Amino acid sequence: MQEITGKPHMDYPARVPLKVIGRLEELRADMVLALILEHLGPQEGEEAQHHANCKGAFISYTFWVTLPHEHAELPLREAIAKLPGHVMQL
């Protein structure tokens, strides 16, 4: 049996989902989108859109983003984590 170690190989640019969950009254999609644009640049077509799902006091936003290289995701996720109302990211 082959042991899996480390991260799987990924080719870039890579289109991936980014789900951000936060408190309904505080976290807004425009805040997340502003950070996506700041860190990754313009997103085209469907990637500029998001899907929202609300349950109780929480809301989740799913954005499809294009990561240009392997080092682009971490700074974006760190910036999103500082947004008001942020609870978690997937």
Side-chain angles (χ1 to χ4, degrees):
M1 180 181 284
Q2 182 180 2
E3 183 179 338
I4 299 174
T5 58
K7 293 169 79 173
H9 173 77
M10 201 158 145
D11 293 320
Y12 293 90
R15 185 173 183 261
V16 298
L18 174 68
K19 179 173 255 185
V20 181
I21 302 167
R23 290 184 289 280
L24 177 61
E25 299 297 323
E26 297 177 63
L27 186 67
R28 297 186 328 265
D30 64 314
M31 299 160 66
V32 178
L33 181 58
L35 290 176
I36 290 169
L37 296 175
E38 178 183 328
H39 287 269
L40 302 180
Q43 303 292 295
E44 297 182 21
E46 286 183 16
E47 295 175 353
Q49 304 299 314
H50 70 278
H51 173 75
N53 189 14
C54 184
K55 187 158 188 166
F58 298 95
I59 191 159
S60 70
Y61 299 107
T62 303
F63 290 86
W64 280 89
V65 299
T66 299
L67 301 173
H69 52 77
E70 66 181 312
H71 303 291
E73 186 174 7
L74 182 59
L76 172 60
R77 288 190 177 274
E78 288 173 342
I80 290 171
K82 295 176 184 174
L83 287 175
H86 172 269
V87 174
M88 71 173 12
Q89 299 175 54
L90 304 172

